[in-house]
Amino acid sequence: MNREEEADGVGHHTPVLIVGGSLVGLSTSLFLGRLGVPHTLVERHSGTSIHPRGRGNNVRTMELFRVAGVERRIEEAASVLADNHGILQTPSLVGDVGEWLFKEIDPGGGLARFSPSGWCLCSQNDLEPVLLENARALGGDLRFSTELMSFDQDHDGVTARVKNRETGEHTTIRADYLVAADGPRSPVREQLGIGQNGPGDLFHNVSVTFTSRGLADVVGDRRFIVCYLTSPDADGALLPVDNRERWVFHAPWHPEQGETIEEFTDERCREHIRRAVGVPDLDVEITGRAAWHAAERVAERYADRRVFLAGDSAHEMSPTGAFGSNTGIQDAHNLAWKLAAVLGGWAGPGLLGSYDMERRPVAEATSARASARSVEHSHPGYTPAPGAGGSGGPGGRKGGILNVALGYRYPRGAVLGADPAVPVVPEGVRLTGEPGSRAPHLWLNRAGTRISTLDLYEGSLVLLSSAGTVGGAGGWHDAATEVARQLSVPLDSYRIGSGPDAELSPASDLAWAEAHGVTPEGAVLVRPDGFVAWRSEGPQANPEEVLREALSALLDRI
């Protein structure tokens, strides 16, 4: 720190410093706030996103927002596009031509078997204000127009120098940990010297926002999420913003051929959109444009001592399938509970090592699937090299996306008993209580209120066992109470059944134990992020000792 910074600087301590205030940074703030972890967020821009992008929120992300108490607010913010579901591919929008790559996100309503939540189409400019408002309501110290200038870390923490871009004031912030959610060109990652793996740049587009009153009549009742327009001389992707007069068009851009962003004038964009749509005299008023780059890259490591990468700083993916932002939000959720556990003193610092071990393989598999999906959809501007597309890599097989969005697993990390040979992204969706998988969703009754099992998982570890059995009431529940006391670990124990000792009763005939892959005398331990940490398929002679050993190993307490 130079003399000017010393003169201007005002010391400030925070347990966690978040760098970046977009979707992932704001989600990190929200999740930490829910867990009672004080933190500071700095964002160089003056406010949240003003561009309608990054809008596909998958079912797992919506589950996280459900537990965080903001799912309904997000659905309200997204209500204008609630009836948009399919992806259309067509040479133009004139007449009844083209084909639906899929017409419904959840045909037949089968998703309800797996989750209490659903997909939600909420643009980044609508989602971020909801996250910001709720993060601040939880006490988050969120500072916009504030830029990270430099940082150093030592054995005990991180010292960061930040600058208020409005006043020019420099401030020193001392943090126990730093989370870098500062985008694909992450200055934090660059300073740490962390490299990236993967094919690199895939293609480039210019995102053009425009208004058109006549386009809604051309679209008619085709309520698509995105329409890939494939005219050879004017291809692109059309996305509705309000289904009435606000739209976004992604036009291919080829900087590798010397094409500059300045060449995308209003007139060029206007004529391109008209040709793509197939209406030469369509009213089009250009309101903005922004370049974006699709890439497939994953950081070589997600952590450097007390600094962690999350979101685009850790991984870049093709936008097809909306995997990138969802993966980043899920990074934040995974990291938040581990930071809370270590800072709260109920887990050792080794728990934080599982963040890279769990999340990096998920990003590698998911990014391969995103690239493969771009090939399958013939995304405008993307001409993959022969054999490219990730079809042979993990997660790169042609198929659905629910297994990628919801069925991914942690074969290694803060789990016990997971099969290390199991693919990170399986071919199908199997959520039956295996360690390392997202815990099954079941409807339960708690004191007259209908809840999902997923609603139990946020602020503590949770042990599920049966009511009215020796392995349940007489063993696991008492063991959990005693072990939680001995280890000073937040562990909630719930007995499920119909007896008087049950805290929860099943809302259907499906037995909780069967759904979780155990006998009625067994038990399942679920992490605060809703992933199964460990399970005992049957009774144990000494459940207290078994549970103590499991918790000590999981939480780096040995």
Side-chain angles (χ1 to χ4, degrees):
M1 185 166 50
N2 60 35
R3 292 182 181 274
E4 180 182 351
E5 291 173 327
E6 289 176 346
D8 290 349
V10 177
H12 170 71
H13 177 266
T14 184
V16 181
L17 173 63
I18 305 167
V19 180
S22 190
L23 281 180
V24 174
L26 290 172
S27 295
T28 306
S29 175
L30 174 68
F31 299 144
L32 288 174
R34 293 279 299 186
L35 296 172
V37 178
H39 59 277
T40 298
L41 179 151
V42 296
E43 164 56 51
R44 64 187 302 273
H45 292 101
S46 60
T48 55
S49 174
I50 60 173
H51 199 74
R53 58 185 178 182
R55 59 190 190 160
N57 300 286
N58 69 33
V59 60
R60 180 58 186 152
T61 293
M62 292 307 293
E63 288 177 354
L64 304 184
F65 287 148
R66 170 191 174 90
V67 176
V70 296
E71 181 183 39
R72 184 169 297 179
R73 287 286 312 279
I74 292 170
E75 290 172 342
E76 291 171 354
S79 60
V80 69
L81 296 177
D83 294 329
N84 293 63
H85 296 291
I87 293 182
L88 179 64
Q89 189 173 69
T90 178
S92 79
L93 283 170
V94 176
D96 188 14
V97 294
E99 64 171 333
W100 289 91
L101 299 179
F102 66 87
K103 202 164 186 177
E104 295 289 335
I105 295 179
D106 182 27
L111 183 59
R113 293 188 296 119
F114 298 107
S115 178
S117 299
W119 306 82
C120 181
L121 203 62
C122 188
S123 297
Q124 190 167 338
N125 59 308
D126 294 323
L127 175 56
E128 287 185 1
V130 176
L131 300 178
L132 174 61
E133 179 183 349
N134 283 269
R136 279 187 167 149
L138 291 167
D141 176 13
L142 280 65
R143 306 181 185 186
F144 284 79
S145 297
T146 304
E147 183 175 7
L148 176 71
M149 305 304 291
S150 63
F151 71 93
D152 299 296
Q153 57 177 324
D154 52 45
H155 180 73
D156 298 317
V158 181
T159 301
R161 271 74 62 182
V162 302
K163 176 184 177 181
N164 185 309
R165 300 184 74 195
E166 294 179 350
T167 66
E169 180 185 13
H170 290 75
T171 303
T172 299
I173 298 178
R174 179 69 175 173
D176 297 311
Y177 297 98
L178 186 151
V179 178
D182 54 345
R185 288 164 292 283
S186 167
V188 172
R189 187 189 66 236
E190 290 293 326
Q191 180 174 329
L192 294 172
I194 297 177
Q196 297 171 289
N197 296 318
D201 287 345
L202 301 176
F203 58 93
H204 312 271
N205 277 192
V206 174
S207 180
V208 182
T209 57
F210 69 100
T211 60
S212 173
R213 291 187 174 90
L215 184 51
D217 292 332
V218 181
V219 171
D221 61 359
R222 294 173 286 190
R223 287 290 180 263
F224 46 75
I225 298 171
V226 59
C227 176
Y228 294 126
L229 294 158
T230 60
S231 172
D233 66 337
D235 60 338
L238 177 69
L239 299 86
V241 176
D242 62 7
N243 288 318
R244 295 187 299 273
E245 59 181 66
R246 296 171 58 214
W247 311 85
V248 175
F249 187 87
H250 295 323
W253 171 36
H254 297 284
E256 74 281 2
Q257 299 175 9
E259 192 174 38
T260 67
I261 191 69
E262 288 75 21
E263 293 177 51
F264 286 82
T265 63
D266 285 3
E267 184 58 28
R268 172 179 171 173
C269 294
R270 186 180 301 113
E271 291 306 313
H272 190 117
I273 292 168
R274 286 170 174 167
R275 289 197 307 273
V277 170
V279 180
D281 60 348
L282 182 70
D283 65 298
V284 175
E285 181 179 350
I286 307 299
T287 58
R289 65 182 61 75
W292 59 269
H293 314 272
E296 183 183 338
R297 299 186 182 93
V298 178
E300 293 175 347
R301 49 196 168 93
Y302 276 21
D304 184 303
R305 293 175 289 168
R306 289 177 172 266
V307 180
F308 301 90
L309 308 181
D312 286 351
S313 69
H315 46 73
E316 295 178 72
M317 303 179 193
S318 170
T320 315
F323 293 123
S325 59
N326 288 284
T327 303
I329 292 168
Q330 292 156 34
D331 292 340
H333 194 258
N334 181 288
L335 182 58
W337 82 266
K338 294 172 181 177
L339 286 169
V342 173
L343 289 165
W346 53 274
L351 176 65
L352 292 170
S354 68
Y355 171 64
D356 174 274
M357 199 178 302
E358 293 176 357
R359 294 304 302 168
R360 188 157 52 86
V362 169
E364 291 170 345
T366 304
S367 61
R369 180 70 191 107
S371 294
R373 197 166 177 83
S374 289
V375 176
E376 294 161 17
H377 289 189
S378 302
H379 194 288
Y382 186 25
T383 305
S391 59
R397 294 175 295 274
K398 185 172 182 177
I401 61 174
L402 190 57
N403 58 325
V404 187
L406 191 59
Y408 63 83
R409 295 171 176 240
Y410 300 140
R412 297 176 178 82
V415 295
L416 297 176
D419 183 354
V422 169
V424 173
V425 174
E427 292 192 23
V429 182
R430 179 179 169 83
L431 298 171
T432 53
E434 291 93 341
S437 65
R438 199 271 271 145
H441 152 67
L442 290 177
W443 289 113
L444 302 170
N445 292 314
R446 179 170 63 182
T449 301
R450 185 174 185 251
I451 66 167
S452 166
T453 45
L454 303 189
D455 297 328
L456 302 171
Y457 315 133
E458 184 184 23
S460 69
L461 295 153
V462 170
L463 187 77
L464 301 179
S465 61
S466 295
T469 67
V470 173
W476 292 115
H477 182 71
D478 293 345
T481 301
E482 180 59 22
V483 171
R485 184 191 66 79
Q486 292 175 3
L487 298 181
S488 298
V489 170
L491 172 61
D492 292 330
S493 177
Y494 296 103
R495 293 164 291 190
I496 304 175
S498 56
D501 57 350
E503 288 83 21
L504 304 168
S505 60
S508 71
D509 293 333
L510 181 62
W512 84 269
E514 177 186 353
H516 288 74
V518 300
T519 69
E521 289 76 30
V524 178
L525 180 66
V526 184
R527 309 186 325 185
D529 62 351
F531 275 72
V532 177
W534 167 86
R535 69 181 179 184
S536 176
E537 296 183 8
Q540 296 285 340
N542 190 335
E544 182 180 318
E545 179 181 346
V546 169
L547 188 57
R548 183 187 304 106
E549 290 179 356
L551 283 169
S552 296
L554 286 165
L555 301 176
D556 186 41
R557 294 283 293 270
I558 296 177

